[in-house]
Amino acid sequence: MNKVILIGRLTKDPELRYTTSQTPVCSFKLAVNRNYKDSEGNKITDFFPIVAWRKIGEAISKYCRKGSLIAIIGELQTRTWDDERGEKHYVTEIIVQEALFLDNWKKNETKNEIVNENLNDDSFIDGLFDEAEKQEEELEGFTEIDDENFPF
C-alpha cells in the first residue's frame, strides 16, 4: 500500500506548468509540523515536495497561495534522471490524488462569493436535502445483511 495523508501550509505560491502535450502539472512544497518538539521546545517541521496533475493541479494553482492550509491525500513516488554531466539524481515526491482546501474562505474573494451566493439561496440548501433523500430512496427495497451471514 502506498498512501500519504498530510495537512500543511504551502511554503510559496504553487507553480503551474504544462507538459509538451499540454497536461497541467502543479508543484509546490508543503510545510508539515510534527506532533512533538525538539529538546529545546521548538516545533519540528518537515518540507515535502508535492506534485498535482490535471484538474487538481489547476484548482490548487487557482485557489492556493503561500501560507494556504491544505490537506493532501496521495502516494509517494521516486524519480531518477541523469544530468548533463552524467550524474544520477533522485527525487521523492508526493503525487496528489485528492486535495482539500482548509483555509478560511474569506481569504479568497471568488470562493467567498460562490459560497455566500449558494448558502443564501434556499433552493441550493433544499437541493442538498433533496439529493440526500433521493439517495436514501434508492436504497429502499434492499435488505440489510448482517456481516455474520458472510462466509468470509
Side-chain angles (χ1 to χ4, degrees), residues 79-96:
R79 295 184 294 120
T80 62
W81 76 93
D82 295 326
D83 66 16
E84 53 280 340
R85 295 183 296 178
E87 292 183 34
K88 189 169 245 154
H89 295 270
Y90 297 87
V91 65
T92 301
E93 306 163 312
I94 296 159
I95 307 301
V96 177

Side-chain angles (χ1 to χ4, degrees), residues 9-14 27-31 47-50:
R9 294 193 180 275
L10 277 69
T11 61
K12 63 180 184 174
D13 289 349
S27 57
F28 55 95
K29 288 220 188 231
L30 193 67
F47 299 89
F48 297 101
I50 310 290

Side-chain angles (χ1 to χ4, degrees), residues 29-81:
K29 288 220 188 231
L30 193 67
V32 179
N33 291 331
R34 293 195 183 191
N35 288 333
Y36 55 89
K37 297 178 181 181
D38 66 14
S39 60
E40 294 156 10
N42 300 316
K43 284 184 180 179
I44 299 173
T45 304
D46 293 305
F47 299 89
F48 297 101
I50 310 290
V51 177
W53 291 87
R54 298 176 181 78
K55 297 252 183 225
I56 293 174
E58 289 177 319
I60 291 170
S61 173
K62 183 175 181 179
Y63 294 114
C64 294
R65 295 289 168 254
K66 177 181 178 179
S68 294
L69 185 63
I70 187 171
I72 297 292
I73 300 172
E75 61 185 17
L76 274 179
Q77 173 183 287
T78 301
R79 295 184 294 120
T80 62
W81 76 93

Side-chain angles (χ1 to χ4, degrees), residues 103-131:
D103 259 341
N104 184 344
W105 286 71
K106 291 178 184 172
K107 289 184 180 178
N108 187 307
E109 289 299 319
T110 306
K111 287 192 295 186
N112 194 34
E113 289 169 11
I114 292 168
V115 169
N116 284 340
E117 246 177 53
N118 289 331
L119 290 179
N120 291 327
D121 180 1
D122 288 337
S123 64
F124 175 76
I125 302 296
D126 291 343
L128 292 177
F129 287 110
D130 291 344
E131 185 62 31

